[in-house]
Amino acid sequence: MSDLADTSRASVGSVYRVMQFLEEQELAERLPDRQFLVPDWAALLRRWSDDYQLLRTNAVTRWIAPRGLSDLLDTVREDKEANYAVTGSVAAAAWAAYAPARSAMVYVRNVERAAANWGLRETEAGANVLLIEPAYPVVMERAMTALQGLTVAHPAQVAVDLLTGPGRAPAEANELLEWMRTHEQSWR
């Protein structure tokens, strides 16, 4: 429990309650050596997505990248001061490309700074970019470099974000989960 609390930066009491819940849901089991086993990580991710709804849990703003996503991603790659992690369809393409991305979802620490530096225009309709201030910093702390220099969220985070994302995102999540199942050693 204390190792999980340290890693998650949660209190031991909170970790205890969560692990007890996961045991009750048969998503985790306690081993004799007091470690935990997750027998089906995909089921755990699906259950996590039930509680963690990307668009409800975080502060989300909508933007237009006037020159398109490809230009936006090039601009983001060149911004050496940016503190971000790409998620959703764009990030999933690092592992399991489903279809060309129609929109970008990007976790950022400072929406206004990112929007100004990346040349985005705020909008209420027709957005092709969602800038997301994360409710939990872990989404950016576990990010990695992929897609020719972009910082992308961890595959598990991307899968959970897609499971509750708009449009075809749930289908993309299923493709990513299948890739994760067949390449488990490379992402865990």
Side-chain angles (χ1 to χ4, degrees), residues 29 51 60 102 188:
E29 58 186 71
D51 291 330
V60 179
R102 290 186 236 150
R188 288 188 83 181

Side-chain angles (χ1 to χ4, degrees), residues 27 38-49 156 159-160 163 173-174 176-178 180-181 184 187-188:
L27 294 170
V38 175
D40 184 352
W41 55 262
L44 180 63
L45 293 181
R46 288 182 189 285
R47 180 61 182 91
W48 173 21
S49 76
V160 169
L163 283 166
N174 290 331
L176 179 55
L177 288 170
E178 183 56 34
M180 291 169 72
R181 189 178 330 282
E184 190 168 349
W187 65 269
R188 288 188 83 181

Side-chain angles (χ1 to χ4, degrees), residues 151-173:
T151 301
V152 298
H154 189 275
Q157 181 71 51
V158 174
V160 169
D161 291 343
L162 285 168
L163 283 166
T164 62
R168 67 180 186 208
E172 292 174 296

Side-chain angles (χ1 to χ4, degrees), residues 53-66:
Q53 301 278 320
L54 172 71
L55 301 178
R56 286 191 315 211
T57 301
N58 304 288
V60 179
T61 55
R62 289 159 176 72
W63 303 84
I64 293 175

